[in-house]
Amino acid sequence: MNVTLWIIASLLAAAFLAAGLMKTAQSKEKLSASGMTWVDSFSPGMVKTIGALEGLGAVGLILPAVLDIATVFVPLAATGLAVTMLGAVVFHLRRGETKETAPSLVLLILAVVVAWGRFGPYAF
């Protein structure tokens, strides 16, 4: 199970790091033009904040465990990312964007699994 949690955390970290870097590096207009029309509902600063939180969450999933320093940050990061994805699921459902809800829901479930495992029976 430890290996499974590492794999899930690594995949989550890669996905959230990529998404976070994209949101922080590109303008709101460019993101909207690429199909991420949800950004039109947020200010540019909020989009950058969401991206920064996703990037920090990605780092928090891996770095504390690799360095074996303050490993409690791994399940805390997973919990924070789960809350972020819960917000994304609710946001997309309220806008009637069921297609956009699926990836957020999958990431939410995976983050909950990591949080459960690292807070619970498979803590470091």
Side-chain angles (χ1 to χ4, degrees):
M1 188 63 173
N2 185 48
V3 172
T4 302
L5 288 171
W6 267 106
I7 291 169
I8 294 170
S10 298
L11 292 172
L12 279 173
F16 279 109
L17 186 60
L21 287 174
M22 180 176 54
K23 289 178 188 106
T24 56
Q26 294 182 8
S27 69
K28 178 180 160 181
E29 293 76 22
K30 189 170 182 182
L31 291 170
S32 181
S34 71
M36 297 177 70
T37 56
W38 64 268
V39 299
D40 296 332
S41 298
F42 293 95
S43 69
M46 188 63 185
V47 174
K48 302 283 186 211
T49 300
I50 293 168
L53 290 174
E54 289 175 347
L56 288 172
V59 171
L61 284 173
I62 302 298
L63 197 59
V66 168
L67 298 177
D68 197 28
I69 299 172
T71 55
V72 72
F73 284 118
V74 173
L76 289 174
T79 302
L81 291 171
V83 170
T84 302
M85 288 298 98
L86 180 60
V89 167
V90 170
F91 176 79
H92 288 300
L93 285 176
R94 289 182 75 189
R95 289 176 46 122
E97 300 171 340
T98 54
K99 181 180 167 188
E100 288 82 357
T101 303
S104 299
L105 190 58
V106 169
L107 292 171
L108 166 64
I109 292 167
L110 292 175
V112 167
V113 168
V114 172
W116 165 80
R118 294 306 185 201
F119 269 133
Y122 306 100
F124 293 105

